[in-house]
C-alpha cells in the first residue's frame, strides 16, 4: 500500500514538473528588443484612452505615489499580490520590454522573461484585446515619465507562491483567446462585447470564483462575492439582481457615465470603476456597453417570494423603530425615497437581493456614489458602524427587506457580525 502511494506521489510530482516546464519554458522565446524611437502622438492618445477603459491606473498606482509605478497591495484569499511598475524605467519598469513582450503579457499572462503572472492581473480577460490595441497601450505606457521603483515581492502562502502551482491553475482555468465578433449582432453590440469582455474585464468581479480562484466562465456575469472586499458584484443577468434587460438604453448609459440614473446608483467597487474609468469613455463606447449589457440573456429569479422565511414580530418592531429614528428622514416613511437624491427602498432590488453583503457594507460604512462630471456632488449616506450594534443592523435591514411590498429573507445578527469582523481597509 505504501509503495503504491509513493508511486502515485511520484507520478503526480512528475506531472506537475512537466506542466511547469511546459508553461514556464514555453514562454522564453521572444528576442525582440525595446523600441528606441518615441511613440507617435496619436498612438499615445489612443493608448491613454484604452488605459482608461481598462482602469489600469487604479491597480497599478499606490496611494499617494506616482501613477503607474505599481506597489499597490491586492489582498486575495491566498495572500497579498503587489501590482507591478508599468513606467518605462529600464531597471524596475517596462523600459526594456518590446511591444511583443507587452502583447504576450496581455494575451498569455507572461512577464518579459516568460515567468507566469498571477491572475490578479486580469489576463483571463485581456487575452481578448486586439494586437493593435495592445500596441497602443504599450506606446502610451512608454511615453510616461520613468519612475525608479522596484517591484515588491508578493506575500503568498505556499504552494500558491510557486510557479508550479500557478502552472497547474492555468491548465485548469486559462486558455489564450481572441475576440471574435458575432456576425448575427450589430456593430454596437460587438463593440460593447469587446469592451465588457476584454479591457473592461467586468467578469473579474461579476462572476463567481471557486475555492482556487478560478472562474467557471469569464463571460457568464452571473454575480459573485469579491474576495477580501466583502462586496457582492450582482448578477448582470438575473431579474432579481442587476439585469438591465428592461431598462432603456439611455438609463444604462447614464449609470455608466455618471454613477446614477433613474433606475439605480452605483456604490462600492463599481463606484471606483465609474469614477476612474467609464465616465471618461466616449459616448459611443458607453452606449455600446449599454447595448451589450441590455442584450444579455436573462436568468430567472433566485427564489420564490412566497417561500421566503419571515422574521419574528419582535425583530420587525425593533427594526421599524430604528428605521424611523435613523432612516425615514431621507428614505421616507414608506421607503419611497427622494427622486434625484435618496434612493427608494420599496421595490429596490439592491435591498431584496438574496446576498446581503452590500446592505451590511452600506449601513456600517456609508453609501457613497462616485463624484463624476455628470454628477459632481452626489448625495451620500453616513456610516452607522459606531451607532448601531450588530443586532440593530440586522433588525433594521430585516425590517427594510420585509416592508412596503418587499419580500426578502431576514438578515441575521451573525451575518452582520461576521462581516463587520472581517472587513479590511
Amino acid at each position: 500500500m505504501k509503495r503504491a502511494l509513493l508511486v502515485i506521489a511520484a507520478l503526480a510530482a512528475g506531472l506537475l514538473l512537466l506542466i511547469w516546464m511546459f508553461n514556464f519554458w514555453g514562454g522564453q522565446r521572444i528576442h525582440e528588443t525595446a523600441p528606441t524611437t518615441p511613440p507617435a502622438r496619436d498612438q499615445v492618445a489612443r493608448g491613454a484612452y484604452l488605459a482608461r477603459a481598462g482602469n489600469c491606473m487604479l491597480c497599478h498606482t499606490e496611494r499617494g505615489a506616482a501613477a503607474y509605478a505599481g506597489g499597490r497591495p491586492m489582498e486575495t484569499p491566498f495572500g497579498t499580490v503587489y501590482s507591478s511598475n508599468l513606467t518605462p524605467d529600464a531597471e524596475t519598469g517596462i523600459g526594456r520590454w518590446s511591444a511583443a513582450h507587452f502583447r504576450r503579457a496581455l494575451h498569455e499572462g507572461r512577464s518579459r522573461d516568460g515567468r507566469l503572472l498571477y491572475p490578479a492581473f486580469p489576463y483571463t480577460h485581456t487575452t481578448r484585446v486586439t494586437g493593435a490595441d495592445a500596441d497602443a497601450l504599450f506606446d502610451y505606457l512608454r511615453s510616461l515619465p520613468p519612475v525608479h521603483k522596484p517591484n515588491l515581492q508578493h506575500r503568498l502562502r505556499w504552494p500558491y507562491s510557486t510557479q508550479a502551482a500557478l502552472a497547474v491553475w492555468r491548465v485548469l482555468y486559462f486558455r489564450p483567446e481572441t475576440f471574435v465578433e458575432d456576425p448575427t449582432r450589430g456593430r454596437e453590440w460587438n463593440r460593447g462585447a469587446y469592451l465588457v469582455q476584454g479591457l473592461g474585464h467586468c467578469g473579474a468581479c461579476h462572476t463567481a470564483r471557486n475555492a482556487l480562484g478560478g472562474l467557471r466562465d469569464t463571460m457568464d456575469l452571473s454575480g459573485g462575492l469579491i474576495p477580501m472586499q466583502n462586496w457582492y458584484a450582482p448578477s448582470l443577468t438575473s431579474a432579481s439582481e442587476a439585469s438591465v434587460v428592461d431598462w432603456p438604453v439611455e438609463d444604462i448609459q447614464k449609470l455608466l457615465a455618471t454613477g446614477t440614473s433613474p433606475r439605480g446608483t452605483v456604490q462600492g467597487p463599481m463606484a471606483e470603476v465609474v469614477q476612474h474609468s467609464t465616465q471618461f469613455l466616449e459616448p459611443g463606447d458607453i452606449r455600446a456597453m449599454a447595448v451589450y449589457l441590455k442584450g444579455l440573456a436573462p436568468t430567472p429569479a433566485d427564489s420564490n417570494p412566497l417561500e421566503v422565511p419571515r422574521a419574528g414580530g419582535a425583530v420587525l418592531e425593533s427594526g421599524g423603530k430604528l428605521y424611523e429614528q435613523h432612516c425615514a428622514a431621507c428614505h421616507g416613511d414608506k421607503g419611497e425615497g427622494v427622486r434625484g437624491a435618496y434612493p427608494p427602498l420599496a421595490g429596490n432590488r439592491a435591498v431584496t437581493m438574496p446576498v446581503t453583503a452590500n446592505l451590511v457594507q452600506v449601513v456600517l460604512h456609508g453609501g457613497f456614489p462616485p463624484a463624476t462630471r455628470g454628477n459632481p456632488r452626489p448625495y451620500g449616506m453616513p456610516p452607522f458602524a459606531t451607532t448601531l450594534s450588530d443586532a440593530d443592523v440586522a433588525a433594521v435591514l430585516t425590517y427594510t427587506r420585509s416592508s412596503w411590498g418587499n419580500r426578502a429573507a431576514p438578515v441575521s445578527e451573525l451575518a452582520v457580525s461576521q462581516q463587520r469582523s472581517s472587513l479590511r481597509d
Side-chain angles (χ1 to χ4, degrees), residues 304-368:
N304 183 347
L306 298 178
E307 300 174 354
V308 171
R310 303 299 172 201
V315 172
L316 292 177
E317 182 180 358
S318 173
K321 291 178 179 178
L322 289 165
Y323 180 87
E324 181 180 358
Q325 181 181 358
H326 297 288
C327 314
C330 293
H331 293 288
D333 293 335
K334 298 181 179 180
E336 69 273 18
V338 177
R339 186 175 179 85
Y342 308 113
L345 304 181
N348 189 328
R349 293 182 299 178
V351 172
T352 58
M353 278 195 306
V355 181
T356 61
N358 298 352
L359 290 177
V360 176
Q361 282 274 20
V362 169
V363 173
L364 290 179
H365 293 282
F368 304 101

Side-chain angles (χ1 to χ4, degrees), residues 393-425:
V393 174
V396 73
L397 288 179
T398 296
Y399 172 80
T400 304
R401 286 163 59 84
S402 305
S403 302
W404 321 300
N406 293 343
R407 299 177 66 87
V411 178
S412 71
E413 182 179 348
L414 176 61
V416 178
S417 177
Q418 289 176 331
Q419 187 154 340
R420 189 197 292 260
S421 63
S422 65
L423 290 174
R424 295 171 177 262
D425 294 331

Side-chain angles (χ1 to χ4, degrees), residues 32-40 94-99 138-139 142:
E32 184 178 311
T33 58
T36 57
T37 56
I94 61 171
R96 294 179 179 173
W97 288 48
S98 68
F138 179 64
D139 281 342
R142 71 187 185 94

Side-chain angles (χ1 to χ4, degrees), residues 265-284:
T265 300
V266 301
Q267 297 185 39
M270 189 61 199
E272 291 187 330
V273 172
V274 173
Q275 183 176 10
H276 298 285
S277 178
T278 57
Q279 70 159 317
F280 298 105
L281 298 186
E282 296 172 355

Side-chain angles (χ1 to χ4, degrees), residues 34-383:
T36 57
T37 56
R41 184 174 300 179
D42 59 340
Q43 274 285 90
V44 171
R46 181 183 173 196
Y49 177 79
L50 294 169
R52 280 284 198 186
N55 205 10
C56 307
M57 187 171 71
L58 182 65
C59 288
H60 285 275
T61 304
E62 190 179 11
R63 290 179 181 176
Y68 290 101
R72 179 162 179 166
M74 288 172 279
E75 300 290 341
T76 78
F78 316 105
T80 304
V81 175
Y82 294 92
S83 61
S84 57
N85 185 343
L86 295 185
T87 72
D89 181 70
E91 298 297 328
T92 63
I94 61 171
R96 294 179 179 173
W97 288 48
S98 68
H101 289 125
F102 187 77
R103 208 178 300 133
R104 184 176 63 176
L106 291 182
H107 294 165
E108 301 179 28
R110 295 181 184 276
S111 188
R112 176 174 174 267
D113 61 1
R115 177 176 48 87
L116 303 179
L117 299 174
Y118 286 96
F121 165 52
Y123 57 80
T124 49
H125 296 79
T126 61
T127 186
R128 299 181 183 88
V129 173
T130 65
D133 281 354
D135 291 348
L137 271 169
F138 179 64
D139 281 342
Y140 166 66
L141 293 173
R142 71 187 185 94
S143 76
L144 299 173
V147 178
H148 186 82
K149 184 178 181 181
N151 291 312
L152 299 175
Q153 185 174 359
H154 305 313
R155 292 188 290 112
L156 296 166
R157 297 189 305 277
W158 190 90
Y160 310 114
S161 58
T162 66
Q163 287 277 294
L166 185 52
V168 173
W169 186 93
R170 289 165 59 98
V171 168
L172 295 173
Y173 303 115
F174 175 64
R175 296 289 185 278
E177 298 180 30
T178 56
F179 177 77
V180 179
E181 291 193 357
D182 185 342
T184 67
R185 301 281 192 165
R187 180 187 61 81
E188 265 189 337
W189 187 95
N190 277 294
R191 176 62 176 172
Y194 174 71
L195 291 169
V196 169
Q197 296 174 13
L199 274 176
H201 60 281
C202 303
C205 290
H206 286 278
T207 303
R209 295 179 181 270
N210 61 26
L212 293 177
L215 299 171
R216 60 188 178 193
D217 182 347
T218 58
M219 294 183 288
D220 77 349
L221 302 176
S222 61
L225 192 66
I226 302 175
M228 315 307 290
Q229 294 190 37
N230 293 316
W231 282 93
Y232 175 70
S235 168
L236 300 180
T237 61
S238 172
S240 63
E241 296 195 8
S243 170
V244 292
V245 67
D246 62 339
W247 285 31
V249 169
E250 292 73 20
D251 285 354
I252 309 171
Q253 287 180 262
K254 188 173 182 182
L255 188 72
L256 294 174
T258 69
T260 187
S261 81
R263 303 293 294 269
T265 300
V266 301
Q267 297 185 39
M270 189 61 199
E272 291 187 330
V273 172
V274 173
Q275 183 176 10
H276 298 285
S277 178
T278 57
Q279 70 159 317
F280 298 105
L281 298 186
E282 296 172 355
D285 278 345
I286 295 178
R287 179 176 176 83
M289 293 175 70
V291 167
Y292 173 74
L293 293 173
K294 182 177 174 63
L296 292 173
T299 56
D302 300 307
S303 60
N304 183 347
L306 298 178
E307 300 174 354
V308 171
R310 303 299 172 201
V315 172
L316 292 177
E317 182 180 358
S318 173
K321 291 178 179 178
L322 289 165
Y323 180 87
E324 181 180 358
Q325 181 181 358
H326 297 288
C327 314
C330 293
H331 293 288
D333 293 335
K334 298 181 179 180
E336 69 273 18
V338 177
R339 186 175 179 85
Y342 308 113
L345 304 181
N348 189 328
R349 293 182 299 178
V351 172
T352 58
M353 278 195 306
V355 181
T356 61
N358 298 352
L359 290 177
V360 176
Q361 282 274 20
V362 169
V363 173
L364 290 179
H365 293 282
F368 304 101
T372 59
R373 295 179 297 184
N375 188 33
R377 304 180 73 177
Y379 290 87
M381 173 176 158

